């Protein structure tokens, strides 16, 4: 067994810690081929080749589970890994040159005009976020696309923040709350549920400070929107603590109860706009239900579509579901709008028709319009949402006279 390396020797030669090598062994990513009589790990040349592949793939940004999948793939060889690594390094060098050129352009612009165009700042932001200090090349390509796709929306949000600041608008005002939600929607669209990108963004923020400054947003504007988000979140928590019987009529409480039943049946633990739509149709007696029925929308048509789009989650452990399911963020916004609708009609509580009007109103204001309810009505059932709103308002007016 000459030529075998003990774990301490391998750690010293590679710069890895013994603890890391132990962990690789525990998760069976790098299991040493041999053991000594005293059960010490011994690594062969073949093990060292596998370790080289692991380290190269790690530097390329692969997760440990992805690395295992790669190495278990037939025909995946060390030369392939090294060639891929070389290709990525060339990309990184190219990105660094691009960033340097853009920074040089901004310096020249500052020297001549004492200001910088927002477009140039956004371009520089794109390159900064693409640098490999925080993101893998694959993530950089994804971020480049998303930044370009969302450039117009970011600029609108920034302009809106400055407008509200100049007006000295209260953080809990409807216009500022909407800005805060647009910011969060845009961030959600930017991250799109990618946990690794989110972690990299957090690391960059922690190490580099106020990254929004690189986005053309001064620290005062950034602080304003963060305080608005906090105020909105605090309001959501407060609203969640209010008993539903205080903000909903008895009929609306029944709508929510009936809508929650099919959501629980597919093991979902949060109530979105689809819950309200199903509940209105299941209850069947409200003004909202009559308006939906008049255009051919029924519980029997909507229920299977909701199941199709949400799917069915695995059953949770017994006793883990809360007795009352919370509302999703979009549904909370609908409730805000429904309260506004009720107040405009001089009502103190939300009726089912206010909920349906709010669902249709929320569809208009969101950067990525609407929730599951409006998607089903518009895309699956080919409903004209504007005509539905007019029909609903006619029903409401007829009841009030």
């Amino acid at each position: 067994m000459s030529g075998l390396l003990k774990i301490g020797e391998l750690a010293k030669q590679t710069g890895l810690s013994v603890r890391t090598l132990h962990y690789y062994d525990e998760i069976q990513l790098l299991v040493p081929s041999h053991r000594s009589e005293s059960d010490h790990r011994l690594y062969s040349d073949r093990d060292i080749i596998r370790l080289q592949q692991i380290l190269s793939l790690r530097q390329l940004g692969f997760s440990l589970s992805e690395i295992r999948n790669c190495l278990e793939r037939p025909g995946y060889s060390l030369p392939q890994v090294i060639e891929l690594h070389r290709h990525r390094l060339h990309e990184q060098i190219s990105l660094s040159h691009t960033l340097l050129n853009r920074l040089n352009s901004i310096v020249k612009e500052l020297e001549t005009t004492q200001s910088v165009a927002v477009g140039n700042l956004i371009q520089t932001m794109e390159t900064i976020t693409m640098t490999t200090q925080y993101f893998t090349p694959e993530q950089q390509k994804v971020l480049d696309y998303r930044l370009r796709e969302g450039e117009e929306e970011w600029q609108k949000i920034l302009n809106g923040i400055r407008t509200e600041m100049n007006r000295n608008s209260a953080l809990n005002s409807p216009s500022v709350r909407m800005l805060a939600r647009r910011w969060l929607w845009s961030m959600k669209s930017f991250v799109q549920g990618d946990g690794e990108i989110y972690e990299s963004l957090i690391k960059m923020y922690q190490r580099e400070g106020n990254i929004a400054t690189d986005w053309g947003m001064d620290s005062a504007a950034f602080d304003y929107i963060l305080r608005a988000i906090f105020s909105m979140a605090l309001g959501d928590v407060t609203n969640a603590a209010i008993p539903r019987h205080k903000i909903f009529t008895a009929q609306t409480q029944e709508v929510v109860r009936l809508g929650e039943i099919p959501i629980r049946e597919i093991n979902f633990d949060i109530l979105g706009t689809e819950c309200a739509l199903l509940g209105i149709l299941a209850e069947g007696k409200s003004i909202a239900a009559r308006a939906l029925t008049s255009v051919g929308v029924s519980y029997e048509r909507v229920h299977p579509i909701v199941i199709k789009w949400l799917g069915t989650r695995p059953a949770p452990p017994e006793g883990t579901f809360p007795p009352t399911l919370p509302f999703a963020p979009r549904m909370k916004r609908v409730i805000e709008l429904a309260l506004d609708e009720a107040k405009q009609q001089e009502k103190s509580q939300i009726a089912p028709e206010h909920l349906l009007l709010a669902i249709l109103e929320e569809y208009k204001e969101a950067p990525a319009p609407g929730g599951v309810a409006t998607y089903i009505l518009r895309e699956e059932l080919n409903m004209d949402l504007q005509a539905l709103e007019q029909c609903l308002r006619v029903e409401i007016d007829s009841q009030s006279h």
Side-chain angles (χ1 to χ4, degrees), residues 40-281:
H40 291 154
R41 295 170 175 86
L42 296 173
Y43 294 84
S44 66
D45 290 346
R46 183 178 178 181
D47 299 329
I48 294 170
I49 290 173
R50 184 177 175 90
L51 180 59
Q52 171 61 52
Q53 293 175 309
I54 292 170
L55 296 181
S56 290
L57 289 169
R58 281 297 281 168
Q59 190 165 352
L60 290 170
F62 283 57
S63 68
L64 294 181
S65 60
E66 289 172 334
I67 291 172
R68 183 186 293 107
N69 292 336
C70 285
L71 297 183
E72 289 174 356
R73 196 180 304 158
Y76 204 83
S77 63
L78 178 61
Q80 288 177 316
V81 175
I82 292 174
E83 181 58 32
L84 180 60
H85 200 165
R86 289 178 65 249
H87 177 70
R88 297 291 170 78
L89 286 173
H90 282 300
E91 288 184 347
Q92 293 169 14
I93 292 169
S94 175
L95 288 170
S96 297
H97 283 305
T98 302
L99 176 58
L100 179 61
N101 290 337
R102 289 183 178 175
L103 290 172
N104 287 337
S105 174
I106 287 177
V107 168
K108 290 180 180 178
E109 193 170 352
L110 283 170
E111 289 174 350
T112 56
T113 66
Q114 301 299 310
S115 64
V116 181
V118 170
N120 287 347
L121 285 173
I122 290 175
Q123 283 186 334
T124 305
M125 173 191 71
E126 292 171 2
T127 310
I128 289 172
T129 56
M130 287 167 59
T131 56
T132 55
Q133 183 177 0
Y134 301 103
F135 301 104
T136 67
E138 289 85 357
Q139 290 172 335
Q140 292 162 9
K141 291 177 181 178
V142 170
L143 293 178
D144 182 37
Y145 172 78
R146 291 179 190 168
L147 282 164
R148 293 182 185 279
E149 187 179 48
E151 178 178 336
E152 182 179 352
E153 175 61 16
W154 281 114
Q155 188 59 58
K156 288 180 180 178
I157 293 173
L158 178 56
N159 292 340
I161 292 170
R162 289 171 176 158
T163 298
E164 298 300 335
M165 290 177 68
N166 291 335
R167 292 174 178 169
N168 292 319
S169 300
L171 294 176
N172 63 349
S173 66
S175 57
V176 176
R177 285 206 313 268
M178 191 61 239
L179 269 178
R181 293 192 187 280
R182 287 177 66 181
W183 174 281
L184 291 177
W185 281 329
S186 295
M187 286 301 298
K188 182 179 179 181
S189 175
F190 186 65
V191 176
Q192 293 189 8
D194 191 320
E196 292 185 357
I197 286 181
Y198 177 77
E199 289 176 7
S200 297
L201 280 169
I202 294 299
K203 287 178 183 177
M204 186 168 70
Y205 178 78
Q206 290 172 337
R207 295 176 186 176
E208 305 299 334
N210 187 0
I211 56 175
T213 303
D214 296 324
W215 298 4
M217 179 183 291
D218 57 75
S219 58
F222 191 55
D223 177 68
Y224 184 85
I225 194 63
L226 289 184
R227 287 189 292 114
I229 291 169
F230 175 78
S231 174
M232 178 191 69
L234 186 61
D236 286 345
V237 171
T238 304
N239 288 338
I242 298 174
R244 294 182 183 181
H245 69 269
K246 288 190 176 181
I247 60 172
F248 293 151
T249 65
Q251 192 175 33
T252 306
Q253 292 176 54
E254 180 66 3
V255 162
V256 174
R257 187 189 71 81
L258 292 172
E260 186 172 327
I261 293 172
I263 301 303
R264 283 181 176 273
E265 288 174 349
I266 57 176
N267 300 317
F268 265 66
D269 57 358
I270 195 165
L271 304 178
T273 57
E274 66 282 354
C275 165
L277 180 60
L278 286 171
I280 289 170
L281 293 168

Side-chain angles (χ1 to χ4, degrees), residues 336-356:
E336 287 180 359
L337 293 170
L339 279 170
D340 291 341
E341 287 283 351
K343 290 175 183 177
Q344 289 174 21
Q345 297 173 28
E346 299 182 346
K347 305 291 184 182
S348 59
Q349 291 180 307
I350 296 171
E353 56 267 26
H354 302 141
L355 269 186
L356 183 53

